[in-house]
Amino acid sequence: MGRSRYLRAVHPGPSGGLDPERPEELLECLTGVAERIGRPAVLIAMDDLSAIAVSRIAPMLQDRFRIPHQPDGLPARVADKAELSRLCARWEIPHPETVIPASGAEAAEAAWRLGLPVVAKWSRPWLLPAGDGLRSTTLVHTAAEARGLYERSAEAGSPLLLQRFLPAGPDTDWFFHGCFTRDGHPLLVGSGRKELSWPVRTGLTAMGRWLPDPAVEEAGLRLARRLGYQGILDLDFRRDERGCFRLVDFNPRPGAQFRLFTDGAGLDVVQALYLDLTGQRVPEPVGGPGRVFVAENYALLAGLRGPLPQRRSAAAAVAPVPAVPPAPAPAPAAAAATIPAQEAAPGAAGRAGGVGESGGASGSGGVARPGPVRAAPPVERGRVELAWFAADDVLPFLAMIAAFLGRGAGKGARGAWNRLSGVPARGRRTARAVARAPRQRGGPERAAPPDAQGPGAPPGAAEQTGTAETAEPDGLVTR
């Protein structure tokens, strides 16, 4: 970005880095930036940490910046995985079944009940200390791992959540982007499907396509309306084996692929927010579905390591899907402002995986109900939006290529050295894990109590939910 010809100036951030829990340094930094600019400027947070920190100092910046107005602490609430789970349960937004254990034994029992493997998340990942091996999201394969993670809760700084694992596959990962003015009124919204990701099926969007889907869009619109959201949001959904779209992540800022949602006149969510915050009229979106976004470096890696996206024939667009239960419809003005008439006809998009019933205080089940067959009209392929290359601004693309090749050469050199040294990768990883996280090692004081098995544990669960010493060496690794 620093090499783009469209970048006028770069202002350094806080000297000590960004800490949402101590936003005073960011306030001082932004006050200095505002004085150098000399007039109010639009301020848009581009990551979760920035969104949380800016929301906490927004009242002190109102005279210096144009900032989306958010209810108190809203970005931190939706970025908090536990709070998001409670919101989904309250408003019947389908969400993976979630358990917040209160002890190591409960964590082990929940892992068995949800079905291994399970997804472990820290509620407030921005509190994780650097360099201690803890990751915001971990795929847990044994009850012992779940217990071990829970016992590091004090170190992580926030509660541990365990969620039912939803397998990835073709046509399972979807996202929703939206720009909203006050009270959650939509200016520009769209849903899309992740065609390629890096790392494969678990990471960033390497290739995505704008595909209208009424279930995804209805869930996103309803959530924004209930929250009174203003600004840009990015939601991640995963479609389960019954066709129900479940919300897995809420990002209170633009996603990396936000340029995918650009209409026929060139309007995207960032431009729409700029026009709204500066008091200008935001034109109604015209066209857009069918566009393709490609991050060149990640798409190359994903294409080499994973399956290529499959093209669908017209016949493949017809499939039985769960029906969408009745839900409050958006206001007529909102619907007209976000979806062109030709896209808003009944059955105008793929499947309708449903908005189902909630499952409880700590999660929402989103039970999908069998419904009629819905036919998706073909969506014409639109313009391909490249993340890096632009004919009128090639320096960012060249810088990306240089960095990409440099990292590849570095990894190749390290791999060659490791092969020459004769130390297998498995042994190196285990040795690092043991040295880094000795508290995960077993001992008599860490033996699992009998009740850790839980009513749903299969025979032999006592041996698997005991100490980490009973696991294979790589069981010590925090994945």
Side-chain angles (χ1 to χ4, degrees), residues 50-398:
S50 301
I52 295 168
V54 167
S55 71
R56 291 175 174 171
I57 59 176
M60 287 79 80
L61 295 174
Q62 291 298 334
D63 295 334
R64 296 182 172 92
F65 291 97
R66 301 289 182 260
I67 307 173
H69 173 75
Q70 299 284 14
D72 293 340
L74 180 57
R77 287 175 60 202
V78 297
D80 184 321
K81 312 302 183 186
E83 179 64 18
L84 178 63
S85 177
R86 286 188 282 267
L87 291 175
C88 289
R90 185 186 311 164
W91 295 330
E92 296 189 341
I93 304 293
H95 188 63
E97 184 180 356
T98 301
V99 176
I100 305 177
S103 67
E106 284 190 18
E109 190 277 332
W112 282 114
R113 181 169 61 81
L114 292 171
L116 293 167
V118 297
V119 178
K121 297 180 179 180
W122 297 107
S123 178
R124 293 183 285 277
W126 61 90
L127 298 179
L128 290 175
D132 65 353
L134 290 174
R135 300 176 61 182
S136 61
T137 303
T138 304
L139 189 62
V140 172
H141 294 271
T142 67
E145 288 184 67
R147 178 194 296 275
L149 278 178
Y150 176 85
E151 292 175 353
R152 302 185 70 181
S153 296
E155 184 182 352
S158 65
L160 178 71
L161 285 75
L162 298 176
Q163 288 184 344
R164 185 171 74 88
F165 174 65
L166 303 177
D171 199 32
T172 58
D173 290 320
W174 289 68
F175 43 81
F176 173 89
H177 263 63
C179 178
F180 298 84
T181 187
R182 287 182 180 270
D183 300 322
H185 179 84
L187 298 173
L188 174 65
V189 302
S191 62
R193 184 177 64 200
K194 190 182 293 187
E195 310 264 336
L196 290 174
S197 60
W198 182 256
V200 175
R201 292 183 177 173
T202 60
L204 300 171
T205 301
M207 177 180 174
R209 188 182 303 273
W210 184 348
L211 291 175
D213 191 286
V216 174
E217 292 178 354
E218 195 277 337
L221 290 169
R222 177 157 32 127
L223 194 55
R225 186 170 59 251
R226 291 289 186 90
L227 292 169
Y229 195 88
Q230 182 182 10
I232 300 170
L233 56 77
D234 169 31
L235 309 179
D236 292 324
F237 291 84
R238 176 158 287 184
R239 192 167 61 91
D240 67 13
E241 61 277 2
R242 299 187 62 187
C244 178
F245 289 97
R246 299 183 182 272
L247 178 66
V248 295
D249 204 9
F250 189 126
N251 302 304
R253 41 76 180 174
Q257 73 275 30
F258 77 89
R259 279 289 298 172
L260 170 64
F261 300 100
T262 304
D263 76 351
L267 180 72
D268 61 35
V269 291
V270 172
Q271 295 174 17
L273 181 61
Y274 177 88
L275 293 174
D276 181 58
L277 293 176
T278 54
Q280 304 179 63
R281 188 183 71 85
V282 180
E284 292 191 8
V286 179
R291 282 174 57 88
V292 176
F293 171 86
V294 177
E296 300 93 320
N297 48 344
Y298 295 135
L300 175 62
L301 294 172
L304 293 174
R305 294 290 299 274
L308 294 176
Q310 298 178 355
R311 292 197 174 194
R312 288 188 165 194
S313 64
V318 181
V321 297
V324 182
T338 56
I339 305 176
Q342 65 269 26
E343 303 295 342
R351 289 147 316 283
V355 176
E357 297 174 350
S358 62
S362 65
S364 58
V367 178
R369 302 181 178 90
V373 173
R374 299 177 189 266
V379 177
E380 294 184 3
R381 181 188 176 106
R383 174 184 171 183
V384 175
E385 177 80 24
L386 299 177
W388 292 100
F389 180 79
D392 60 343
D393 190 23
V394 298
L395 286 182
F397 175 76
L398 297 177

